[in-house]
Amino acid sequence: MERHRDEQSLGELFGEFTAEMRTLVRDEVDLAKAEMTGKLTQVKRDIAYLAVGGLIAYAGLLGLIAFFIIVIGDAMPLWASALIVSIVAGG
């Protein structure tokens, strides 16, 4: 025969309480995992965007260095202009 909640013993109430707390904690951990997975996906995407942007900026820098080598190369041998631009860019 089933007893009503107000007729449950203290031990039964405590057992029910611990079971519900276990379920609550498990659900919260699952929710935290799902949130972290979503955030990790966003971080990975942002890192990829930064890497692509860095590669594009690097290609632009290389183009600019080639431009200066060619411009200075009109007044002197290309090897000398490349040396001067490398020293200035590296120093």
Side-chain angles (χ1 to χ4, degrees):
M1 184 161 124
E2 223 176 282
R3 294 191 301 188
H4 295 307
R5 184 176 286 261
D6 45 332
E7 295 178 6
Q8 288 179 320
S9 71
L10 185 58
E12 292 171 333
L13 288 173
F14 186 72
E16 186 178 319
F17 172 75
T18 56
E20 288 179 7
M21 284 301 295
R22 227 180 287 125
T23 302
L24 178 64
V25 169
R26 189 178 309 117
D27 289 347
E28 288 295 322
V29 168
D30 290 342
L31 179 61
K33 285 180 184 178
E35 288 177 0
M36 291 306 294
T37 300
K39 289 181 181 185
L40 183 61
T41 301
Q42 181 65 37
V43 167
K44 286 180 183 179
R45 188 177 310 126
D46 291 344
I47 289 172
Y49 288 150
L50 284 173
V52 169
L55 288 174
I56 291 171
Y58 183 65
L61 177 66
L62 291 177
L64 195 58
I65 288 173
F67 167 77
F68 285 125
I69 290 172
I70 292 169
V71 168
I72 295 173
D74 287 341
M76 63 182 67
L78 280 178
W79 67 267
S81 65
L83 180 64
I84 290 171
V85 170
S86 296
I87 290 171
V88 170

